[in-house]
Amino acid sequence: MAAVDRKKLDLNPLRDAKLPVIFVLGGPGCGKGTQCERIVKKYGYTHLSSGDLLREEVGSGSERGKALNAIMEKGDLVPLEVVLDLLAEAMLKQVSTSKGFLIDGYPREQAQGVQFEQSILPCSKVLYFEVPDQVMVERLLNRAKTSGRVDDNEETIKKRLATFHKHSEPVIEYYKNKCNTIAALGSPDEVFTEVQKALSSMQ
Ligand code: AP5
C-alpha cells in the first residue's frame, strides 16, 4: 500500500479523559466479537473492533478502502497508522459519554501497542482468548456460510492463522503482566463467566 496520509486529530480529549482501555486479543474466530458483545451489555464499555472499522472503510468504496480490502483478503496486517487513526477517530467521537474502551483485535503486533500507548492512553488490561487452531478454523468455516466476509475461506483462514502466530502471539508475551489468558473452548456463556472473573478486578 502506498504511503498513508495521516489524519490530523487532536488526541488531548482522549488523554485528558483517562478512561480505562481493554485490549481484546486472540486468533481469528476465537470469539473476540462474541465476548465483546456480552462485555458491553454487562459493563457498558465502548466496543471498537479494528476489523469492523476497516470493513467500514472498505464499504465506503474509497481508493484506500480498495487497497485495504486487498490486504485483508490475503490475511495480512494493514499498515499500523491506518488502524491507529481509525481507532483514535472512533474513540474521539465517543469519549464524552464513554465509561472506557474495549478495543477488539488490537494490537496485532507489538509496535501497534507501543504507538497506541504513546499517543493515546495506557492500556489497563488485556484479555486473550486461547483456542486451538483447528477449532478456530471450524468456527470460521461455519460462519463463512453466512458472513459474506472476503477472508472467511479456507485459504485466507490459513494465512490469518499464520499471521496471528507470527505477529500477534508475541504481543501476549509483551503484555504478560496485564494479560488474562482465557481458555475459550467452552460455550459463549462459559467463556463469559471467565471473562467476568478477569474483569472483576477492574470494578
Ligand atoms: P478481524 O475482523 O479482527 O478478524 P479476526 O481477528 O480474524 O477475528 P474475527 O472477527 O473473524 O473473529 P472473532 O475472534 O471476533 O470471533 P467471533 O466472535 O466473530 O480482522 C480481519 C482482518 O482485518 C485481519 O485479518 C487484518 O487483515 C485486518 N486487521 C484487523 N485488525 C487489524 C490490526 N489491528 N492491524 C492490522 N490489520 C488488522 O466468532 C467466530 C465464530 O465462532 C462466530 O460464528 C461465532 O458465533 C462462533 N463462536 C464464538 N464463540 C464461540 C464459542 N465459545 N463456541 C462456539 N462458537 C463460537
Side-chain angles (χ1 to χ4, degrees), residues 88-123:
E89 198 172 30
M91 289 172 80
L92 280 166
K93 277 186 194 149
Q94 304 197 52
V95 66
S96 61
T97 54
S98 181
K99 289 171 71 175
F101 294 99
L102 194 56
I103 315 269
D104 166 3
Y106 187 98
R108 271 180 144 92
E109 53 186 343
Q110 190 175 315
Q112 290 189 355
V114 172
Q115 283 221 2
F116 182 102
E117 294 195 288
Q118 274 172 3
S119 56
I120 305 183
L121 278 171
C123 153

Side-chain angles (χ1 to χ4, degrees), residues 20-24 45 101-103 124-127 199 202:
V21 170
I22 304 167
F23 290 151
V24 182
Y45 292 128
F101 294 99
L102 194 56
I103 315 269
S124 324
K125 189 177 266 304
V126 176
L127 297 178
L199 293 183
M202 286 185 64

Side-chain angles (χ1 to χ4, degrees), residues 28-29 31-34 50 55 76 78 105 108 112 143 160 186:
K32 300 182 289 297
T34 302
S50 54
R55 280 184 287 278
D76 290 333
V78 311
R108 271 180 144 92
Q112 290 189 355
R143 188 180 69 183
R160 286 158 71 191

Side-chain angles (χ1 to χ4, degrees), residues 4 6 64 78-86 115:
V4 188
R6 300 296 305 273
R64 173 194 256 207
V78 311
L80 172 157
E81 297 80 6
V82 174
V83 194
L84 190 65
D85 286 351
L86 286 172
Q115 283 221 2

